[in-house]
Amino acid sequence: MRYFLSLFVMLFTLAAFGQGADFSIYNVSSVAKDAPTTTDLLSKMRAAIKQHSAIEVTFNMSAKSAQGELLADFAGTVQAQGNAFKMVNPQLELFCDGKSKWILSTEIDELTIFPNDTSDTDLIENPIGFLTSLGTQTSSYSYSARLKESNGNWVVELIPSNKKMPYKSVLVGIDKSSNLPVKIEYTSKDGSSYVVVIKSFKPSSGWPESNFIFPSSRMKGLVVTDLR
């Protein structure tokens, strides 16, 4: 469960900006008369995401079961640069240099290493590719032509085209001024929900490649599974 939650956190903190919007899947309003088309908005979002070559963001995430039970509630940090990214929260650390991914479960001292496919636009396998594919022919999501609003942000509802995906819908809150994602809500098929709120965004001058590679000096004492 923690691995699943943390990957969702990573996805929507890689390109988010500013303060998180306060919206819920149950209280978004109807579309405004001056709303842009969803296609145009997603195009602007893709352009806004690509304007910074390196970023650092802080976030809060919460998750609830279908019965309303709190499953997770924590803060974390993400650094992203091109196809490389690094995410740290109390349960998990993730390093990716664009070629490989290292995922460390801190509670059980287990490290798993995966190949990173930059051509894959799957939500989990390539979070940046997922965001920049929305609204294009390579996306695995359809979307409503009618935008909704919540507290000064546009809200786009995405529906997975692949019925095998574990979630049935995703709401993306997009800031009207910056055109960047500010909050995301997932609803899974079992009724549980996941909310990611962006707390801060800072463009960076960049990091060395070693910042995104799991340090070999930390592998001692870990259970390591290399799937590359």
Side-chain angles (χ1 to χ4, degrees):
M1 173 62 74
R2 286 192 177 93
Y3 171 71
F4 184 74
L5 295 178
S6 298
L7 286 171
F8 278 111
V9 171
M10 175 188 66
L11 167 64
F12 288 108
T13 53
L14 288 177
F17 176 79
Q19 299 297 314
D22 181 16
F23 73 88
S24 166
I25 55 177
Y26 303 111
N27 65 13
V28 290
S29 65
S30 299
V31 67
K33 293 181 180 180
D34 61 345
T37 66
T38 307
T39 299
D40 286 345
L41 179 62
L42 291 177
S43 177
K44 291 178 181 178
M45 184 189 73
R46 294 194 303 272
I49 287 172
K50 296 176 180 179
Q51 68 178 323
H52 301 294
S53 60
I55 60 172
E56 182 174 74
V57 286
T58 60
F59 63 85
N60 283 350
M61 179 176 183
S62 62
K64 291 184 178 181
S65 69
Q67 294 73 38
E69 176 187 4
L70 186 65
L71 301 174
D73 187 8
F74 56 82
T77 303
V78 172
Q79 296 172 341
Q81 180 174 287
N83 289 320
F85 46 89
K86 177 181 177 181
M87 192 265 302
V88 177
N89 69 47
Q91 288 83 30
L92 182 145
E93 296 182 28
L94 188 151
F95 294 73
C96 178
D97 64 355
K99 299 180 288 291
S100 300
K101 294 177 187 175
W102 294 260
I103 299 178
L104 173 65
S105 177
T106 57
E107 290 190 340
I108 59 176
D109 290 335
E110 183 175 53
L111 178 69
T112 307
I113 310 173
F114 302 90
N116 182 52
D117 183 0
T118 57
S119 67
D120 191 346
T121 58
D122 180 78
L123 159 68
I124 292 176
E125 290 299 319
N126 184 4
I128 296 178
F130 164 79
L131 282 172
T132 55
S133 73
L134 293 179
T136 73
Q137 293 183 347
T138 61
S139 178
S140 299
Y141 292 81
S142 60
Y143 53 84
S144 171
R146 293 176 59 82
L147 287 172
K148 296 182 179 181
E149 288 186 280
S150 179
N151 298 313
N153 297 284
W154 300 122
V155 180
V156 178
E157 182 176 11
L158 303 171
I159 305 298
S161 302
N162 186 346
K163 295 183 179 180
K164 294 183 179 180
M165 290 183 180
Y167 31 87
K168 59 184 180 181
S169 67
V170 181
L171 291 183
V172 181
I174 300 174
D175 182 84
K176 288 185 176 181
S177 299
S178 68
N179 294 314
L180 284 163
V182 291
K183 189 173 180 181
I184 309 298
E185 293 190 12
Y186 298 89
T187 301
S188 66
K189 289 182 177 178
D190 65 4
S192 53
S193 60
Y194 308 84
V195 180
V196 178
V197 178
I198 305 309
K199 304 305 294 183
S200 67
F201 169 95
K202 293 189 299 182
S204 171
S205 58
W207 299 271
E209 183 180 3
S210 58
N211 182 64
F212 304 101
I213 299 174
F214 188 83
S216 58
S217 60
R218 294 182 56 192
M219 289 189 180
K220 185 177 181 179
L222 300 178
V223 176
V224 179
T225 302
D226 194 336
L227 301 177
R228 290 176 293 184

